[in-house]
C-alpha cells in the first residue's frame, strides 16, 4: 500500500477521532512539554495492518475498540472492512525490575544548524534524556512529582539503527533491551 510511510499518522488521527479531546491535547508538564497517556504500534505486514494500542486509562482502550466496531477502521481514504479486535485484560501487577525491548528515539539539536542528531541508547546523553523524560511524563500524567527510586539500564543494543517515518519526517532509532526498576505507577 502507498500509505506505508504515513500509516502511523493516519492511525493516530483515527484514535483522536474516537477518543475524548483531552487525549489529543495531552497532559502538559510544567516545563511546557506535552505527553500522551497512550501508546500505539501499527505495522503493515504481508498485506495486513496490525495495530496495538494501550492507554493509562483502560477505558480508552474499550472506547477505541467500540468505536472501531461501530464505525469500522478508516485510515484516510482507505476503508478497512475485514477487521478483528481483541481486548486483553491487564489485571496482573507489573513486577520490578522488568525487562522490555523496543525502539526508543532520542535526539538533540545540532547547535549550528538546528538539525536533529539521533542518539544511540548506549550514549550517556540518551540515557539522561530517557530518564528525565520518564520522570516528566509521570509528573504530567499523575499531577505530582515521583517520590520513588527509578533505574533504567540498557542491557543490550542492536548495532544498526532503523529508520522510522512519521508525519513526513524521518527518525532513527536503535533497538534496545532495558531493565527498569521503580514503583508500580511509573512502570
Amino acid at each position: 500500500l502507498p500509505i506505508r510511510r504515513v500509516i502511523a499518522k493516519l492511525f493516530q488521527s483515527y484514535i483522536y477521532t474516537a477518543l475524548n479531546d483531552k487525549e489529543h491535547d495531552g497532559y502538559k508538564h510544567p516545563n511546557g512539554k506535552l505527553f500522551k497517556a497512550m501508546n500505539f504500534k501499527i505495522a503493515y505486514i504481508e498485506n495486513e495492518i496490525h495495530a496495538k494500542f494501550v492507554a493509562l486509562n483502560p477505558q480508552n482502550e474499550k472506547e477505541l475498540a467500540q468505536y472501531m466496531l461501530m464505525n469500522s477502521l478508516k485510515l484516510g481514504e482507505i476503508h478497512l472492512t475485514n477487521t478483528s479486535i481483541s481486548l486483553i485484560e491487564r489485571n496482573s501487577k507489573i513486577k520490578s525490575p522488568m525487562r522490555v525491548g523496543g525502539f526508543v528515539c532520542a535526539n538533540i539539536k545540532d547547535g549550528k544548524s538546528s538539525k536533529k542528531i539521533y542518539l544511540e541508547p548506549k550514549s550517556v546523553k540518551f540515557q539522561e534524556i530517557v530518564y528525565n523524560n520518564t520522570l516528566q511524563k509521570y509528573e504530567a500524567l499523575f499531577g505530582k512529582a515521583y517520590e520513588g527510586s527509578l533505574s533504567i539500564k540498557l542491557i543490550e543494543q542492536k548495532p544498526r539503527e532503523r529508520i522510522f517515518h512519521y508525519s513526513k519526517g524521518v527518525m532513527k532509532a536503535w533497538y534496545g533491551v532495558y531493565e527498569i526498576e521503580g514503583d508500580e505507577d511509573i512502570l
Side-chain angles (χ1 to χ4, degrees), residues 113-131:
S113 66
S114 294
K115 184 178 175 181
K116 290 182 180 178
I117 299 170
Y118 291 93
L119 305 171
E120 291 188 46
K122 62 185 175 186
S123 74
V124 172
K125 188 66 176 169
F126 177 97
Q127 293 172 20
E128 179 185 314
I129 288 170
V130 169
Y131 180 86

Side-chain angles (χ1 to χ4, degrees), residues 99-121:
R99 278 200 179 194
V100 295
F103 291 92
V104 178
C105 182
N107 63 68
I108 56 175
K109 293 204 177 182
D110 178 357
K112 300 172 189 164
S113 66
S114 294
K115 184 178 175 181
K116 290 182 180 178
I117 299 170
Y118 291 93
L119 305 171
E120 291 188 46

